[in-house]
């Protein structure tokens, strides 16, 4: 399969203006499906019911930090890429989270649109590749078991 | 037999203690400034990010619009109309973002005035509003700030010093509240003084700690965060420098309210 599916992007930031700005840029330059949430809990619900290629989250949010949110995202959809938006002050926490949360990248605020886009494109490609890989492995596994099944029946027929 | 320190040694020790106190006060001030700056940077980061992004999108949209209008066909005109709508909404956001940044800058101005020994007559309600702007970053969404500003006359004072007192108490109030809560700021004229109260719905101050709070050297904040001098300095500013009073009442699990009373006029002029 060579076609790239339409990418689904999740953005979480307690500041509405950040979501609006990023959405406007992405809608102008790409055909991504953008889902923005100012409430991390609602973003979690979205993840439970919708396939997402990349989740971008702010770090400092009132009720749930970006790291807590991305940890939940990892549990619900491990193949989706995870990106953290950080202010300079929380850069250290972001670096520590790279391993714990399996962060794909972190982006410092104020962000540069082109840099964000490039990271998102790479993150989306990674997620879609991982998903395709899993599906292929699953197909192989199924094919392998049915082959073994056929093999068993053939052996029985001749013994 | 133990030797008693003589007068000269005592003077030396006293001088050393004063120097250390001044040093600690300066460190406390720098630590407060550090915290303040971190919260301001955070407050300003998002609006700036939005403005930069929107600016780029609007520029690009204008270029696209130019070519759409040049081609003139129905599809291009429809696209141009859509681009106009996007630009309008992004420009509206830019206005809000710019206002947010200027609010913070305005709040900072109250701290930029050099520590002059000159008194000036200021409107404390306005001073409080400006100081509150600096706490917006930390408080927004987590803490509701209610203000009840009474009719008060201009107060003769060292405005930047009183702003430091207000900021100190406000920051403490914010830190006392775990999670969500409310801070209430009230001002009233009472006789020849203005009474400012700042109340919070935080964890309150334990009875055994109450005598220590204004005395200096006491802090419940982790090492490096609090030096325990903020309130002692605030007390000095309000009581010794302005001839007012600084007090508080508190209930564990309910909250704390600080009361700052400052005379409207300073008795610096010679009588007669």
């Amino acid at each position: 399969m060579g076609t790239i599916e339409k990418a689904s992007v999740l953005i979480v930031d307690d500041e509405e203006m950040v979501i609006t700005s990023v959405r406007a840029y992405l809608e102008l330059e790409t055909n991504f499906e953008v889902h923005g949430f100012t409430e991390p809990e609602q973003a979690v619900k979205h993840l439970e019911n919708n396939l997402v290629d990349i989740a971008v989250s702010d770090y400092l949010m009132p009720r749930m930090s970006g790291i807590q949110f991305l940890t939940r995202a990892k549990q619900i959809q491990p193949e989706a890429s995870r990106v953290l938006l950080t202010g300079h002050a929380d850069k250290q926490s972001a670096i520590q989270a790279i391993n714990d949360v399996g962060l794909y990248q972190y982006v410092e605020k104020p962000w540069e649109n082109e840099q964000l886009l490039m990271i998102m494109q790479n993150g989306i490609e990674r997620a879609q590749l991982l998903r395709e890989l899993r599906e292929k492995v699953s197909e192989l596994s199924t094919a392998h078991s049915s082959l073994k099944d056929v093999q068993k029946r053939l052996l029985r027929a001749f013994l | 037999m133990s030797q008693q320190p003589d007068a000269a040694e005592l003077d030396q020790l006293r001088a050393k203690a004063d120097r250390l106190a001044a040093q600690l006060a300066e460190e406390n001030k720098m630590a407060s400034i550090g915290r303040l700056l971190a919260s301001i940077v955070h407050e300003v980061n998002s609006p700036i990010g939005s403005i930069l992004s929107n600016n780029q999108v609007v520029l690009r949209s204008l270029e696209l619009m130019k070519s759409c209008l040049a081609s003139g066909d129905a599809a291009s005109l429809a696209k141009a109309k859509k681009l106009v709508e996007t630009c309008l909404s992004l420009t509206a956001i830019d206005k809000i973002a710019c206002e947010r940044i200027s609010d913070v800058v305005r709040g900072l101005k109250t701290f930029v005035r050099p520590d002059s020994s000159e008194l000036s007559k200021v409107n404390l309600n306005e001073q409080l509003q400006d100081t509150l702007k600096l706490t917006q970053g930390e408080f927004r969404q987590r803490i509701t700030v209610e203000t009840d500003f009474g009719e008060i006359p201009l107060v003769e004072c060292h405005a930047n010093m009183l702003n430091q007192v207000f900021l100190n108490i406000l920051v403490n109030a914010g830190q006392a509240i775990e999670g969500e809560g409310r801070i209430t700021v009230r001002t009233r004229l009472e006789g020849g003084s203005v009474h400012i109260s700042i109340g919070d719905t935080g964890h309150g101050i334990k009875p055994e700690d109450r005598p220590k709070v204004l005395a200096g050297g006491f802090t419940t904040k982790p090492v490096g965060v609090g030096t325990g001098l903020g309130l002692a300095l605030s007390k000095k500013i309000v009581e010794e420098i302005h001839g007012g009073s600084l007090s508080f009442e508190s209930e564990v699990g309910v909250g704390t309210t600080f009361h700052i009373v400052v005379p409207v006029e300073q008795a610096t002029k010679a009588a007669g």
Side-chain angles (χ1 to χ4, degrees), chain A residues 90-108:
Chain A
D90 19 86
K91 198 161 142 176
Q92 276 304 110
S93 321
I95 293 173
Q96 281 176 335
I98 291 178
N99 286 327
D100 303 332
V101 169
L103 267 194
Y104 177 62
Q105 280 270 13
Y106 70 85
V107 179
E108 270 189 72

Side-chain angles (χ1 to χ4, degrees), chain A residues 11 18-32 34 111-118 120-121, chain B residues 50 52-58 60-61 86 90:
Chain A
I11 301 180
V18 169
I19 295 180
T20 312
S21 298
V22 175
R23 187 202 295 272
Y25 175 72
L26 291 177
E27 280 175 2
L28 187 67
E29 303 289 349
T30 73
N31 68 341
F32 298 167
V34 181
W111 69 94
E112 269 177 34
N113 278 336
E114 284 93 356
Q115 190 202 15
L116 185 63
L117 180 58
M118 191 169 73
M120 287 179 85
Q121 282 169 331
Chain B
S50 282
L52 282 171
S53 172
N54 294 346
N55 180 264
Q56 185 183 22
V57 172
V58 167
R60 178 103 171 87
S61 301
T86 307
L90 290 181

Side-chain angles (χ1 to χ4, degrees), chain B:
Chain B
M1 186 183 83
S2 62
Q3 259 202 325
Q4 295 279 34
D6 62 20
E9 279 178 341
L10 273 174
D11 278 337
Q12 269 188 352
L13 284 170
R14 229 171 264 132
K16 190 170 181 187
D18 279 340
R19 273 200 307 276
L20 282 172
Q23 203 180 315
L24 265 176
E26 187 59 29
E27 279 173 27
N28 182 65
K29 191 175 171 189
M30 292 317 285
S32 300
I33 291 175
R35 273 198 304 273
L36 187 62
L37 284 175
S39 127
I40 288 171
V41 165
H42 178 255
E43 179 67 359
V44 145
N45 245 344
S46 294
I48 285 181
S50 282
I51 293 170
L52 282 171
S53 172
N54 294 346
N55 180 264
Q56 185 183 22
V57 172
V58 167
L59 269 171
R60 178 103 171 87
S61 301
L62 286 169
E63 280 165 15
L64 285 171
M65 264 188 261
K66 217 168 145 185
S67 36
C68 283
L69 291 172
S71 37
D73 57 83
S76 297
L77 283 178
K79 182 171 178 187
K81 272 193 201 148
K82 195 159 174 287
L83 288 167
V84 168
E85 289 305 320
T86 307
C87 288
L88 281 173
S89 71
L90 290 181
T91 324
I93 290 176
D94 283 345
K95 179 162 186 254
I96 297 172
C98 289
E99 277 165 6
R100 177 98 72 81
I101 296 173
S102 22
D103 270 355
V104 171
V105 171
R106 211 171 297 132
L108 279 174
K109 278 196 213 161
T110 64
F111 288 82
V112 167
R113 270 196 296 270
D115 249 28
S116 59
S117 49
E118 281 171 25
L119 293 163
S120 57
K121 290 198 176 167
V122 294
N123 179 328
L124 288 181
N125 288 340
E126 282 175 12
Q127 296 297 312
L128 278 162
Q129 274 174 326
D130 282 346
T131 304
L132 276 167
K133 287 192 178 117
L134 292 173
T135 57
Q136 249 166 254
E138 286 208 30
F139 291 178
R140 194 172 18 98
Q141 287 191 359
R142 184 173 78 93
I143 296 174
T144 331
V145 176
E146 279 172 14
T147 59
D148 178 8
F149 290 137
E151 289 271 342
I152 55 172
L154 297 178
V155 173
E156 192 181 9
C157 64
H158 300 282
N160 51 331
M161 284 193 201
L162 286 184
N163 279 324
Q164 278 192 38
V165 172
F166 299 152
L167 185 64
N168 196 301
I169 294 174
L170 283 167
V171 168
N172 285 351
Q175 290 174 333
I177 298 175
E178 282 153 32
E180 299 185 349
R182 192 173 57 248
I183 290 177
T184 313
V185 179
R186 195 172 287 129
T187 62
R188 288 285 185 275
L189 175 64
E190 284 169 7
S193 300
V194 169
H195 177 171
I196 300 131
S197 67
I198 299 175
D200 65 64
T201 57
H203 47 58
I205 304 169
K206 292 182 234 173
E208 58 266 27
D209 292 335
R210 276 169 216 169
K212 306 181 206 163
V213 163
L214 293 174
F218 172 77
T219 180
T220 57
K221 295 173 198 172
V223 171
V225 177
T227 54
L229 280 179
L231 283 176
L233 269 175
S234 300
K235 185 175 160 92
K236 184 175 178 187
I237 288 173
V238 172
E239 294 184 355
E240 285 178 38
I241 297 179
H242 289 87
S245 73
L246 177 63
S247 62
F248 67 90
E249 64 219 5
S250 183
E251 202 184 320
V252 174
V254 178
T256 305
T257 304
F258 270 84
H259 299 279
I260 306 152
V261 179
V262 180
V264 173
E265 278 180 20
Q266 291 294 313
T268 50
K269 311 172 186 77

